[in-house]
Amino acid sequence: MDHAVEGRTEFRVLGPVEVRVGDRVSVVSGRMQRTLLGTLLARSNQLVTVDTLTDALWEGSRDPRTVRKLQVHVHRLRGVLDDPDRLSFNAVGYELRATADEVDAGRFDALLGTGLAAVSHEPQQAIGSLRAALALWRGTPFADLEARPLTDWSRRLLEQRLTATEALYQAQLNAGLHEAILGELTDFLAGHPLRERAHLLLMTALYHAGRRAEALDVYRRARHTLVGELGLEPGYELRELHRRVLDGVPPARPGFREVPGRLPADVHGFVGRQEELNELDGLVPDEVPVTISVVTGTAGVGKTALAVRWAHRARDRFPGGELYVDLRGYGPDTLVSPSDALAGILRALGVESAAIPEALAERAARFRSLVDGRRMLLLLDNARTAEQVRPLLPGAPSCFTVVTSRESLTGLVARDGAHRIRLHRLPPADAVSLVRGVLGSRADAQLAAVGILVERCARLPLALRIAAEQMRSQPDRAVCELGDELIERQHALDLLDVDGDPHTAVRAVFSWSYCRLEPAVARVFRLLGVHPGQDIDAHAAAAMTRAGLRDTGRALDVLVRAHLVDRTHARRYEPHDLLRAYAAELAEATDHPDERADALAGLRGYYLAAAAAAMNTMAPNEFASPATAVPVFDSYDSAFSWLNDERANLLAVTQHADAEYVVAMSQTIWRYLSSGKYHDDAISLHTHALHACRQLGDLPAQADTHRVLAGALFRVGLISEAVDQLEQAIKLYEKLGDRSLQAATPLIDPSQTGRNRNSGSAIGRSAAGW
């Protein structure tokens, strides 16, 4: 494709480095010049320090003439630009101005995003965009250069090229060209035998071409390769396709772009808020004039309930799907960063982890490309700041975003045009209706007392639901008696309210409900505040209480009925963040530090044992049978599903654990994190484990951790860092006289892991075994 425009500069890095001005093409001669240009382009429109540039050109070797030599190379580079002022200097470093459209890698990324967004619903359009993207490639980027920024950028570009190629095959398959792609797909797999999606596409194409036996043979070869190279069974999609082909059920054509339905369950017993629901309805006519709505209000006022109820009502208006993210802006849990939130969103949209960009700006751009033109709903719950939200905004006018927050998020309103809906306490009539929905005729007989009670609960839905449930559980007492008891308890708690919060009724209701719990149930509630994660299941709760599973399950059910905890999918339990904070406060005041430490020790022991049992199901005989009672995993899918549900908790319990535990968890779940493509989590855990190994002086564990960390770094494109980790692993294995490295990564040639950064392909082949 000819992009030449008279007088316009184009930078080409998808092959030999070139600068094109109009019709004139200048091949940038000399390794130093190409390294300088590539390093500046890798950070275009950003200031690149002199130290960064000299390190890239001379690998940290400096002499008194280094800066002068850099100036000479900059001067020569300016000579091939259309405007020398494109490359500017200040006291710190240099900046090269270049728009994304002026760099072939930028055009490739834009075309790839357009193609991925059209694969499912406009395959012919996708074919055109993806072919245009792949036509920009002229070879391997920076093939003869060793600078770290260029090595990492090249790795990411090559991964995107593979993604584009697979997306093209997918689009052709969706367009009915299954026979036409068989030869190309077969050749592609010969060069990339570990690409599960390519196996999936070839099996689907063969089946639709009437070649069922050959499709089954593809699966057999894929499984043999994956088990032999990685020690892992094929993923769920590939196994499910194999089952369908065996059963003779036509396989669905796998898509790169899913239609996600990620909303939480609809709210039970929702009352009122018709004005706010109508206001949200009015923001989403056929031609969406407002694309962001911010629902603000105090804690417990029902912001999430309103947003979720409206989202379920309006979901038919968003055929492109719905996405939900809990940003955890308040409460004891770690705030979700925009980068992590975008990684989850991209996975929900069908992007494989290996294809998720590393930089926040690139993740945001990929997200915007994927949803461009799609009529989608994005619900961002529990946000703390505008800065946390802004990178997650789709940008496309076809998408509608609802944000909930206790803050007013003025920046989103002023800068991003958001429409703010302030959610106040329930009107008295609606508050009474909520209580009547729980108490029925009993409330009708005592309406005056109910009216007084709802005012003492500050007309906050969270407090009202808990209070109503408490009244329902004591049918022999009059509502007015319970109301009097509540007001007495509220006065007592007011003495502790140093912040002057006008809604102390919430704490009073919590206290009222908590004090009526049996001691064993109350202890389970307090331990929910000790648990470091977001949610919990009965097995983990039983490990903390040291009680039986049956008794703990019953206690959790009591807490659910009292509205002190919510039951989520698959019988998992999650308290509201206010309730979790209250539980933590109670545990601090009630339970001895040794008791809390013992509960956490039980929890850690359970999570490690259960994770080992799950991994034994996925990779048999890797770990000894656990001594602790754990769930029964009867299949690969059940084990993998449990690990997915508990992943955040498995990482959370390592944060303040002793060094031995951190190392043990890293050694236990590294295969799962790798096969699940949770590479960011793997890097975090293994880095933590590496520090723990050094603290313990455990050299064998340290060598193993260097090796698995190298694999995770490689998969996110950090080739140089991966090589560094691998080199340290090799040195330790040699020091220990241990040949484990050679057995675990048989394709590694230690001579290729030195400072020569051109060994990326060899390292990549070796990484398949990590």
Side-chain angles (χ1 to χ4, degrees):
M1 179 179 293
D2 188 356
H3 291 277
V5 176
E6 182 179 357
R8 167 186 163 185
T9 293
E10 290 182 278
F11 301 96
R12 297 181 172 189
V13 299
L14 301 179
V17 179
E18 297 177 351
V19 178
R20 179 171 184 167
V21 181
D23 293 326
R24 177 174 59 85
V25 177
S26 299
V27 177
V28 181
S29 61
R31 183 182 67 83
M32 291 294 189
Q33 287 284 78
R34 295 195 300 277
T35 300
L36 175 61
L37 177 58
T39 304
L40 289 166
L41 285 173
R43 303 182 183 183
S44 59
N45 305 306
Q46 301 176 44
L47 189 65
V48 185
T49 65
V50 169
D51 286 345
T52 299
L53 293 172
T54 55
D55 284 345
L57 269 61
W58 291 284
E59 296 187 353
S61 175
R62 297 175 63 102
D63 61 47
R65 298 176 300 166
T66 298
V67 174
R68 175 58 184 161
K69 289 189 289 187
L70 173 62
Q71 293 170 345
V72 171
H73 288 298
V74 168
H75 175 73
R76 291 173 180 170
L77 181 58
R78 284 181 171 138
V80 301
L81 302 177
D82 59 338
D83 179 3
D85 290 338
R86 273 183 179 271
L87 182 49
S88 58
F89 173 75
N90 68 17
V92 178
Y94 293 88
E95 178 179 341
L96 177 63
R97 291 184 292 105
T99 67
D101 194 50
E102 291 175 326
V103 184
D104 58 357
R107 293 201 301 277
F108 168 77
D109 190 65
L111 288 166
L112 174 59
T114 301
L116 289 174
V119 164
S120 297
H121 68 294
E122 291 288 351
Q124 291 293 348
Q125 176 186 333
I127 290 170
S129 294
L130 293 167
R131 279 180 173 164
L134 292 168
L136 293 171
W137 284 77
R138 299 170 291 108
T140 301
F142 315 116
D144 62 336
L145 304 178
E146 301 175 11
R148 175 173 292 187
L150 305 187
T151 303
D152 293 342
W153 191 17
S154 175
R155 170 66 180 86
R156 290 195 296 272
L157 288 170
L158 289 169
E159 179 61 39
Q160 289 178 316
R161 185 182 190 181
L162 294 177
T163 298
T165 303
E166 289 176 337
L168 176 59
Y169 294 142
Q170 174 67 72
Q172 291 171 310
L173 187 60
N174 288 351
L177 304 174
H178 38 264
E179 294 191 57
I181 65 173
L182 289 175
E184 291 183 27
L185 254 176
T186 302
D187 292 342
F188 179 80
L189 267 172
H192 307 281
L194 297 176
R195 304 286 294 193
E196 284 197 47
R197 179 158 291 276
H199 289 290
L200 196 76
L201 293 169
L202 182 56
M203 284 182 68
T204 304
L206 285 167
Y207 186 91
H208 284 294
R211 297 158 68 171
R212 180 167 171 262
E214 293 176 68
L216 292 171
D217 190 52
V218 169
Y219 178 82
R220 283 190 290 270
R221 293 198 305 272
R223 184 180 182 277
H224 176 78
T225 300
L226 294 169
V227 171
E229 294 288 341
L230 303 178
L232 293 175
E233 293 288 336
Y236 172 79
E237 280 188 285
L238 201 53
R239 297 197 314 279
E240 177 64 14
L241 176 59
H242 179 239
R243 183 191 66 77
R244 292 175 71 93
V245 173
L246 280 174
D247 294 342
V249 178
R253 293 187 173 103
F256 269 77
R257 208 180 66 150
E258 300 178 1
V259 178
R262 298 300 178 96
L263 293 178
D266 201 358
V267 182
H268 176 70
F270 187 88
V271 170
R273 304 300 194 194
Q274 195 57 52
E275 181 179 343
E276 291 85 358
L277 291 169
N278 292 340
E279 189 172 355
L280 282 166
D281 283 337
L283 297 174
V284 196
D286 293 335
E287 301 297 332
V288 187
V290 176
T291 59
I292 310 167
S293 179
V294 177
V295 179
T296 69
T298 191
V301 80
K303 300 179 295 296
T304 299
L306 171 72
V308 171
R309 166 51 61 96
W310 179 81
H312 278 277
R313 283 195 352 169
R315 65 190 314 171
D316 290 343
R317 304 167 73 175
F318 300 100
E322 316 92 33
L323 293 165
Y324 171 86
V325 182
D326 182 358
L327 295 173
R328 301 181 190 173
Y330 298 90
D333 297 311
T334 303
L335 188 77
V336 176
S337 69
S339 184
D340 287 346
L342 280 168
I345 289 172
L346 290 173
R347 288 190 184 100
L349 291 170
V351 179
E352 294 185 4
S353 293
I356 294 175
E358 179 188 356
L360 172 62
E362 292 178 11
R363 290 183 178 186
R366 176 57 50 82
F367 168 54
R368 291 192 295 270
S369 294
L370 284 174
V371 300
D372 186 42
R374 297 179 66 172
R375 197 166 176 80
M376 288 190 67
L377 172 64
L378 176 62
L379 175 49
L380 303 176
D381 194 17
N382 202 10
R384 182 180 295 178
T385 65
E387 289 70 25
Q388 186 188 20
V389 170
R390 192 166 283 121
L392 312 181
L393 298 177
S398 58
C399 297
F400 186 68
T401 303
V402 177
V403 183
T404 72
S405 179
R406 297 181 196 176
E407 302 295 331
S408 59
L409 301 185
T410 303
L412 289 183
V413 177
R415 174 175 163 183
D416 301 283
H419 176 88
R420 184 189 293 129
I421 296 176
R422 295 187 184 277
L423 201 60
H424 302 287
R425 292 178 289 170
L426 282 173
D430 289 340
V432 170
S433 294
L434 189 155
V435 176
R436 291 175 65 191
V438 177
L439 296 182
S441 59
R442 183 177 169 204
D444 293 336
Q446 305 178 67
L447 278 178
V450 169
I452 294 172
L453 183 70
V454 298
E455 291 301 326
R456 290 175 180 171
C457 289
R459 289 183 273 119
L460 293 170
L462 177 63
L464 286 168
R465 291 182 191 283
I466 296 173
E469 179 56 39
Q470 285 297 311
M471 288 185 286
R472 191 184 68 81
S473 67
Q474 301 178 64
D476 297 331
R477 297 188 65 186
V479 174
C480 61
E481 291 180 47
L482 299 174
D484 290 341
E485 183 178 332
L486 172 61
I487 198 65
E488 291 173 7
R489 188 165 300 280
Q490 182 173 327
H491 286 325
L493 288 172
D494 282 344
L495 299 177
L496 303 177
D497 179 30
V498 297
D499 294 324
D501 183 356
H503 301 313
T504 53
V506 175
R507 281 182 85 236
V509 172
F510 291 170
S511 173
W512 183 30
S513 299
Y514 168 75
C515 287
R516 296 192 175 277
L517 298 174
E518 295 179 358
V521 178
R523 181 166 182 261
V524 172
F525 176 70
R526 294 196 303 273
L527 290 179
L528 294 179
V530 176
H531 185 272
Q534 180 76 3
D535 62 359
I536 194 171
D537 68 0
H539 284 89
M544 296 186 76
T545 62
R546 310 282 185 172
L549 183 63
R550 177 178 299 179
D551 289 343
T552 304
R554 288 173 177 168
L556 288 167
D557 289 339
V558 171
L559 294 174
V560 170
R561 290 194 296 271
H563 293 284
L564 290 173
V565 66
D566 294 323
R567 182 187 289 120
T568 62
H569 72 288
R571 292 189 65 83
R572 299 184 66 79
Y573 302 87
E574 180 177 356
H576 186 282
D577 57 359
L578 290 177
L579 284 161
R580 186 185 289 108
Y582 181 62
E585 174 186 301
L586 288 172
E588 181 78 21
T590 306
D591 300 313
H592 191 276
D594 290 344
E595 293 179 299
R596 300 198 301 272
D598 181 70
L600 281 175
L603 179 71
R604 292 189 180 111
Y606 162 74
Y607 276 142
L608 187 60
M615 291 306 304
N616 263 346
T617 303
M618 296 170 62
N621 304 317
E622 183 156 339
F623 299 96
S625 298
T628 305
V630 299
V632 176
F633 304 113
D634 56 5
S635 67
Y636 182 102
D637 290 343
S638 66
F640 198 85
S641 177
W642 182 89
L643 287 164
N644 276 340
D645 287 341
E646 298 288 2
R647 175 169 53 88
N649 290 331
L650 298 179
L651 297 172
V653 293
T654 65
Q655 291 305 305
H656 301 290
D658 59 47
E660 291 181 350
Y661 186 86
V662 176
V663 174
M665 184 63 76
S666 170
Q667 293 176 336
T668 300
I669 65 172
W670 73 268
R671 286 184 185 273
Y672 155 71
L673 293 174
S674 177
S675 63
K677 297 183 172 63
Y678 297 112
H679 305 311
D680 292 339
D681 288 339
I683 292 170
S684 175
L685 175 61
H686 301 329
T687 301
H688 190 186
L690 198 56
H691 295 310
C693 290
R694 289 169 177 153
Q695 180 182 337
L696 294 169
D698 189 338
L699 295 184
Q702 184 177 336
D704 290 340
T705 305
H706 278 302
R707 179 167 55 84
V708 297
L709 178 56
L713 290 166
F714 173 83
R715 285 179 170 84
V716 298
L718 299 176
I719 306 300
S720 299
E721 289 85 346
V723 173
D724 288 340
Q725 293 297 325
L726 188 59
E727 288 175 340
Q728 294 182 66
I730 291 173
K731 290 177 182 177
L732 284 174
Y733 282 121
E734 291 175 347
K735 180 177 181 179
L736 293 165
D738 189 342
R739 299 181 63 83
S740 300
L741 178 64
Q742 294 174 339
T745 53
L747 295 177
I748 292 179
D749 175 0
S751 68
Q752 290 183 312
T753 63
R755 306 318 297 179
N756 179 4
R757 298 308 188 192
N758 290 325
S759 58
S761 59
I763 299 299
R765 292 193 302 272
S766 302
W770 297 342

